[in-house]
Amino acid sequence: MRNASDIIRTVSRHTLAYMLFSISEMFRNYDEFDPMDLLIVHAILNANVINVMNDPSLDEEFSSIHTVEPDTIKQGVSRAALSRFLSLPLETVRRRVAGLKRRKILAETKAGLIVTEQNAFRFGNNHELQKTNMLLLTKLLRDLKRAGINGPDDLRAPESAASIRKAT
């Protein structure tokens, strides 16, 4: 049986590769944008749909590649929360958000910032980027399986003999 530190290193190596390939594709797809702006837009996109991802019925309702979450159900996010999440100075977030609002990518709601459903750059609805993500995720899962990690149960650290003795 593999030890926990081997599993951690293997998973870390493969997930880092997945994240870097994903970011690279995002930058390539939106090459007219500054990387910091892309990071902010995608952090807001993620915050906007956390409520959808946590609700099985909403997750199913908006699962089609042809279905976009309407602005009315998006969960807004504050500039301060973005600043904390991304570990960026609040003033940097404020300045970048102002520019993205001028480009009509972001909108302000009572609940906070959202990426607009109708933004001209198709953030949140870029089918090519979504298809590329599926290819990258498939590669990640295949690589983890090849490394002996078939699912979440394989990520658990094996129990030590001492902890087993304590439990009995």
Side-chain angles (χ1 to χ4, degrees):
M1 175 179 276
R2 298 172 67 171
N3 68 43
S5 62
D6 291 347
I7 291 170
I8 290 168
R9 182 164 175 76
T10 298
V11 169
S12 294
R13 188 172 44 242
H14 288 288
T15 55
L16 179 61
Y18 167 78
M19 289 185 305
L20 290 171
F21 280 125
S22 296
I23 291 167
S24 172
E25 286 300 316
M26 183 175 63
F27 289 170
R28 189 179 345 280
N29 228 278
Y30 294 109
D31 60 356
E32 70 271 25
F33 283 88
D34 180 271
M36 186 67 67
D37 288 342
L38 287 174
L39 186 61
I40 289 170
V41 166
H42 284 83
I44 294 170
L45 270 172
N46 184 66
N48 289 169
V49 297
I50 286 174
N51 59 328
V52 173
M53 293 187 294
N54 288 333
D55 181 326
S57 63
L58 286 176
D59 206 20
E60 184 177 340
E61 182 179 345
F62 297 106
S63 64
S64 169
I65 197 167
H66 302 292
T67 308
V68 179
E69 299 85 357
D71 291 349
T72 55
I73 70 162
K74 290 181 179 174
Q75 181 175 303
V77 63
S78 71
R79 290 162 183 78
L82 276 173
S83 170
R84 287 188 303 273
F85 179 72
L86 296 172
S87 295
L88 292 172
L90 183 56
E91 190 49 44
T92 299
V93 171
R94 281 188 183 129
R95 190 175 57 255
R96 298 292 182 137
V97 162
L100 292 164
K101 283 177 67 178
R102 277 193 301 277
R103 294 177 85 173
K104 300 196 184 317
I105 295 165
L106 302 181
E108 193 93 38
T109 69
K110 286 187 276 183
L113 297 164
I114 64 167
V115 176
T116 61
E117 181 183 352
Q118 299 299 322
N119 74 81
F121 300 96
R122 298 179 54 215
F123 286 113
N125 193 30
N126 184 321
H127 295 174
E128 290 308 310
L129 205 52
Q130 291 167 342
K131 289 175 188 175
T132 299
N133 185 55
M134 287 299 291
L135 293 173
L136 294 173
L137 180 61
T138 300
K139 180 186 179 332
L140 170 63
L141 295 174
R142 187 180 305 121
D143 291 347
L144 289 173
K145 186 173 186 171
R146 192 181 68 242
I149 300 163
N150 298 303
D153 291 342
D154 296 331
L155 299 176
R156 293 195 182 119
E159 291 190 62
S160 68
S163 66
I164 293 172
R165 278 194 300 271
K166 281 183 183 178
T168 57

